[in-house]
Amino acid sequence: MATKLHTLRSLRVLSTRRYLSTTPNRASSASPTTQIFRDVPLLRQYRRSLLLSNRTVGLVPTMGALHEGHLSLVRQAAQENSDVFISIYVNPTQFGLNEDLDSYPKTWDADMAQLASLDASLASTPGAGRISAVFAPTTKAMYPTLPPDSSLPGRGSFVTITPVGSLLEGASRPVFFRGVATVCMKLFSICTPERVYFGQKDVQQTVVIRRLVRDFHLGTEVRIGATRREADGLAMSSRNVYLGARRRAVATVLSHALRRAEEQYAKGKRSRGDILWPANEHADRVAAEQEELAPGRRARFEVDYLSLADPDTMEEVEEVDEKRGAILSGAIKMMPVEEPQQGEDCGVGDGMIAVRLIDNIILKPVE
Ligand code: AMP
């Protein structure tokens, strides 16, 4: 054991020395016990040393701009593994050509500070694993042969999961799940984690990842963490920083609409119309209220979809089969702030950026 520990320690020194100069910001690192990797070979070597020491790895893939939703997945991973790897990579191939790739929030120092404080609390939690690696790869490391291509059909090596990846979010964002499945395939094969952790918040993504793991025999266990919410019900999201006060107040419309539909299911309703009408009515009413207000006060939004779908295929259902349950989900687009007022908090991007919000609720099978 002493030798193994020694090996691990020397590996840490080696990696740290080699990688400090290429970390996104020299000054920040998650914690003294967390190594930051920007490229694949040393991460692989480190991963192999963990395997030979009978340690287990839980991987939490993220795009950074960390919030409590991400941290809850890290905590869960630390409960179930000796070592947690977090990847931080804003993957270009899952953003369409006219989407918000360039403006996606990047908060490296704050992310490292949050991980350092979480790792310190894990250090004093009996039996918990530690955050041992942050993988923040360069795009050249992730896409070694061709530059990433976000167009359809796209040049490069891609993983597509159909038809589930073409529905709902995939219908609105045609390259999205191709990008997600492709980057996750890369991350899983680089990190070879025992377990991977994803949030319920992106429910269709969890379905796509389960299918990816199953169909390609990836030999990792997919674990799903509950959606973390603000006190008023808004699902936490890295994109919420764009909202600003005016749009933030109206953004709860989605979670509230879904709750109304959930209540119908709880009352015993099973048909699509019976379950979804109060959700549609709520969204329509809030939209009409906003429309009535002066442009300098209102926050307009468009409903992309409100869906009642099968939990495995994400195909729309007319009637919920109680033995299977269903997934209620929705997406709205908060439009740019009109006529910003003097001194108004319009959020990151000064209210100019449209913000797409998604949310969902699982309707559980009835015993
Ligand atoms: P992202 O950085 O947005 O790609 O998210 C990384 C992971 O965190 C994904 O598995 C998300 O589903 C998960 N996640 C994002 N927001 C939340 C949330 N509010 N609650 C739980 N998990 C979340």
Side-chain angles (χ1 to χ4, degrees):
M1 190 61 191
T3 333
K4 275 178 191 155
L5 271 179
H6 178 69
T7 315
L8 267 183
R9 214 168 290 135
S10 7
L11 195 61
R12 275 188 207 293
V13 173
L14 174 80
S15 303
T16 310
R17 237 187 254 138
R18 172 92 176 260
Y19 279 89
L20 263 179
S21 59
T22 52
T23 48
N25 183 330
R26 270 188 78 115
S28 55
S29 129
S31 125
T33 53
T34 304
Q35 294 177 61
I36 296 163
F37 295 88
R38 296 277 283 158
D39 207 343
V40 178
L42 280 182
L43 176 60
R44 277 238 161 94
Q45 196 181 327
Y46 178 51
R47 200 310 170 217
R48 185 168 159 71
S49 74
L50 296 178
L51 181 70
L52 295 176
S53 316
N54 290 324
R55 298 171 70 137
T56 56
V57 169
L59 169 69
V60 183
T62 81
M63 297 203 296
L66 302 181
H67 52 68
E68 182 50 36
H70 300 112
L71 300 184
S72 66
L73 294 177
V74 175
R75 270 187 223 102
Q76 187 183 348
Q79 272 162 24
E80 300 175 356
N81 303 275
S82 61
D83 293 81
V84 181
F85 286 12
I86 295 149
S87 62
I88 297 186
Y89 180 59
V90 182
N91 172 38
T93 61
Q94 69 193 62
F95 289 79
L97 294 175
N98 52 5
E99 289 180 21
D100 59 348
L101 171 64
D102 292 337
S103 62
Y104 195 84
K106 292 170 196 78
T107 55
W108 176 261
D109 288 336
D111 291 352
M112 291 308 107
Q114 292 195 77
L115 292 178
S117 122
L118 175 51
D119 192 54
S121 78
L122 292 173
S124 55
T125 309
R130 298 290 295 275
I131 303 174
S132 46
V134 170
F135 182 41
T138 59
T139 286
K140 181 68 188 150
M142 289 303 268
Y143 292 86
T145 56
L146 285 177
D149 186 350
S150 295
S151 68
L152 274 177
R155 275 160 49 85
S157 309
F158 295 111
V159 180
T160 54
I161 311 280
T162 59
V164 60
S166 314
L167 306 170
L168 298 168
E169 284 301 291
S172 300
R173 307 179 65 192
V175 299
F176 180 62
F177 287 115
R178 181 184 73 181
V180 167
T182 300
V183 80
C184 286
M185 179 67 123
K186 290 167 188 272
L187 291 170
F188 296 179
S189 72
I190 293 165
C191 302
T192 60
E194 268 79 16
R195 298 176 190 85
V196 290
Y197 292 81
F198 288 87
Q200 180 64 54
K201 150 92 182 346
D202 299 275
V203 67
Q204 193 177 1
Q205 175 167 276
T206 68
V207 175
V208 166
I209 297 296
R210 281 190 199 286
R211 194 65 67 82
L212 171 80
V213 165
R214 193 161 169 214
D215 283 347
F216 290 93
H217 303 276
L218 298 185
T220 191
E221 188 184 341
V222 181
R223 308 282 292 143
I224 310 297
T227 302
R228 301 302 294 245
R229 298 176 180 281
E230 305 291 353
D232 61 3
L234 178 70
M236 291 180 180
S237 164
S238 304
R239 290 190 166 93
N240 291 351
V241 296
Y242 295 130
L243 289 171
R246 202 196 301 183
R247 292 189 294 180
R248 170 67 186 79
V250 177
T252 50
V253 62
L254 179 56
S255 64
H256 292 174
L258 294 174
R259 287 278 167 239
R260 281 171 166 72
E262 181 190 33
E263 281 162 20
Q264 295 290 94
Y265 184 69
K267 281 187 206 150
K269 307 285 188 205
R270 296 293 177 259
S271 80
R272 180 179 185 82
D274 285 348
I275 291 174
L276 283 183
W277 77 259
N280 285 309
E281 189 204 58
H282 180 74
D284 290 348
R285 185 170 49 73
V286 176
E289 282 166 9
Q290 292 302 309
E291 207 62 46
E292 293 285 294
L293 296 174
R297 290 187 53 213
R298 69 189 171 198
R300 278 174 156 159
F301 63 91
E302 287 171 1
V303 176
D304 185 356
Y305 62 81
L306 286 170
S307 153
L308 179 68
D310 180 90
D312 292 329
T313 64
M314 297 299 293
E315 273 164 13
E316 298 301 306
V317 294
E318 284 307 315
E319 195 79 23
V320 177
D321 175 349
E322 314 195 320
K323 291 193 222 68
R324 298 174 59 73
I327 295 170
L328 272 170
S329 65
I332 63 171
K333 182 157 126 186
M334 303 293 310
M335 306 312 280
V337 173
E338 296 169 273
E339 299 183 8
Q341 302 297 294
Q342 185 90 37
E344 182 178 356
D345 158 24
C346 291
V348 173
D350 297 329
M352 316 267 278
I353 300 170
V355 187
R356 188 180 160 79
L357 300 175
I358 60 171
D359 200 351
N360 69 86
I361 293 174
I362 306 260
L363 301 181
K364 297 210 177 78
V366 177
E367 299 292 310

